Amino acid sequence: MYLIMNETPMILYIISDKRSGSTLLENILSKSDEAVSLGEVAMLKNHILREGPGEKWGWSCSCGEALNSCGFWAPIIKEVLPGQTENEFETKINWSYTSFQSFIFGLFPRLFKKKIFKKIQSERSEKVVKNVLSVYHAVYDKAKKKFIIDSTKLPIQALAIYQKRSNLRVKFIFLTRDIRGIAYSKKKSKEGKNIKVSFKDLYKVWLYKRFARSVLTFIKKGDALSIRYEDLATHTEKELKKIFSFSEMKPFDTPTYMELNNDHTLGGTPKRFEKRKINLDETWKKYFLHERAKNLFGVFLNKT
Ligand SMILES: [Zn+2]
């Protein structure tokens, strides 16, 4: 298919850690008439197979339907799957963000470039990218929306897609949050009550952030925008304006609620099914009041 330049869709890919507000951002952007939000495309395979993360919502699309009966996803899967079994249909590049390699890359991206690029050029990674790009194209053909939002988050997948984007325009929104907030929120979603955040938990969040920042050094300046979750949740309109000028998306009214509105997204926070007022979650602050050393460590990590 031949696409002329101004008809090329733009992929807005959200890079972030878990529990950093990516579902909020994805949901806000989905309110644009020009955009279609897919949620976390990397989770497409495991939602088709109905295994792995997503059990909480039965691996269904956010519309409530199983993927093979969802009016949005079923035809897209039908289009991109041929030639491979569901099991061969890879949509996620696996990488250990807490490995020693990640640590080195987080500190010295240029020095460690070869290793990372070798990873994203592996046969499996190339398969993932090919599938993800086919999904983007199929979505564009079906939805005819100028912007496609992918909140996959994973930095290594972001870089792999960027390298192979060819005629697609791909831009990144790097969403960050206070390291203490992320570490606390991750623990809360796993442990519920009696949350204990360790130094190691904080360090791991920092490792991921450093890795993501290193990935951004290989992305052209104008193709990435950094946003803080804390700003997005409190000054939504102001942050949204930055995104409008960065992406050239037509401005729309700032939503005050996070709600699903005829969406067909994959993954995201389990809380996304309830309509909720956009609010800054800083429940972690109370915990760190009584953990002074960890609090200071978190403050230090936020600055490095
Ligand atoms: Zn659906």
Side-chain angles (χ1 to χ4, degrees):
M1 186 186 58
Y2 179 70
L3 286 171
I4 53 170
M5 220 33 203
N6 54 12
E7 280 183 345
T8 315
M10 180 185 287
I11 312 303
L12 284 177
Y13 182 111
I14 301 169
I15 299 178
S16 78
D17 202 336
K18 289 175 185 150
R19 320 298 306 172
S20 305
S22 65
T23 310
L24 170 66
L25 176 57
E26 167 263 299
N27 190 263
I28 291 172
L29 295 177
S30 75
K31 302 293 177 270
S32 160
D33 292 337
E34 296 180 297
V36 54
S37 180
L38 308 179
E40 300 175 47
V41 177
M43 292 176 91
L44 185 55
K45 177 184 181 172
N46 82 277
H47 275 63
I48 293 173
L49 293 176
R50 306 173 74 84
E51 60 181 39
E55 196 176 359
K56 264 184 195 157
W57 51 88
W59 300 280
S60 60
C61 171
S62 63
C63 70
E65 292 286 334
L67 258 60
N68 57 12
S69 47
C70 159
F72 180 83
W73 281 107
I76 285 165
I77 293 165
K78 225 180 193 169
E79 199 180 318
V80 296
L81 205 57
Q84 47 194 335
T85 66
E86 287 179 358
N87 249 313
E88 291 164 344
F89 182 63
E90 305 295 350
T91 54
K92 180 185 173 191
I93 299 178
N94 297 316
W95 177 261
S96 170
Y97 293 96
T98 52
S99 64
F100 181 67
Q101 288 187 346
S102 291
F103 172 73
I104 299 292
F105 180 68
L107 291 179
F108 312 107
R110 304 266 160 211
L111 213 71
F112 221 60
K113 182 183 172 190
K114 247 189 180 162
K115 199 99 206 186
I116 297 300
F117 277 73
K118 207 176 149 192
K119 170 74 184 175
I120 62 177
Q121 281 152 6
S122 73
E123 201 185 320
R124 194 181 170 282
S125 300
E126 298 222 330
K127 226 162 135 184
V128 171
V129 173
K130 194 172 155 262
N131 286 331
V132 171
L133 294 179
S134 312
V135 168
Y136 295 156
H137 281 291
V139 166
Y140 181 68
D141 286 345
K142 182 179 158 55
K144 291 281 176 245
K145 300 278 187 180
K146 205 171 152 194
F147 296 94
I148 297 171
I149 322 290
D150 181 353
S151 54
T152 286
K153 306 193 290 273
L154 303 168
I156 198 150
Q157 186 136 330
L159 188 59
I161 290 168
Y162 194 65
Q163 293 302 315
K164 297 272 165 185
R165 65 194 186 281
S166 64
N167 66 335
L168 276 176
R169 291 181 299 161
V170 183
K171 287 198 172 190
F172 301 93
I173 302 175
F174 180 37
L175 186 63
T176 60
R177 183 185 180 187
D178 191 300
I179 282 177
R180 295 165 294 176
I182 298 173
Y184 180 84
S185 183
K186 278 185 177 179
K187 275 292 163 92
K188 196 171 138 193
S189 66
K190 270 191 197 147
E191 295 171 2
K193 283 174 186 164
N194 302 320
I195 301 159
K196 259 198 97 136
V197 178
S198 65
F199 286 99
K200 200 175 171 187
D201 294 330
L202 291 164
Y203 169 71
K204 278 184 181 172
V205 176
W206 176 80
L207 269 182
Y208 187 95
K209 185 184 87 178
R210 288 299 307 215
F211 189 94
R213 280 225 305 244
S214 288
V215 157
L216 289 176
T217 59
F218 300 106
I219 287 165
K220 272 192 253 157
K221 262 226 162 78
D223 288 345
L225 173 73
S226 291
I227 298 270
R228 290 173 64 233
Y229 158 73
E230 289 81 359
D231 296 332
L232 181 69
T234 45
H235 311 289
T236 312
E237 187 165 342
K238 191 175 158 212
E239 297 310 298
L240 207 45
K241 268 188 190 153
K242 287 186 198 166
I243 297 174
F244 293 151
S245 67
F246 164 71
S247 64
E248 288 167 41
M249 186 183 273
K250 259 188 250 150
F252 57 88
D253 290 342
T254 308
T256 39
Y257 288 90
M258 180 168 155
E259 60 181 322
L260 293 169
N261 213 333
N262 196 22
D263 294 29
H264 297 282
T265 55
L266 304 172
T269 168
K271 284 180 185 159
R272 70 190 184 282
F273 296 103
E274 330 153 11
K275 177 174 172 172
R276 316 169 84 229
K277 200 158 189 198
I278 297 173
N279 239 332
L280 177 63
D281 174 3
E282 287 202 316
T283 45
W284 58 270
K285 280 193 167 166
K286 223 170 152 187
Y287 173 83
F288 283 93
L289 269 178
H290 310 287
E291 296 278 359
R292 285 199 57 190
K294 285 173 195 168
N295 188 53
L296 283 176
F297 186 55
V299 171
F300 167 74
L301 291 181
N302 275 332
K303 288 182 179 158
T304 48

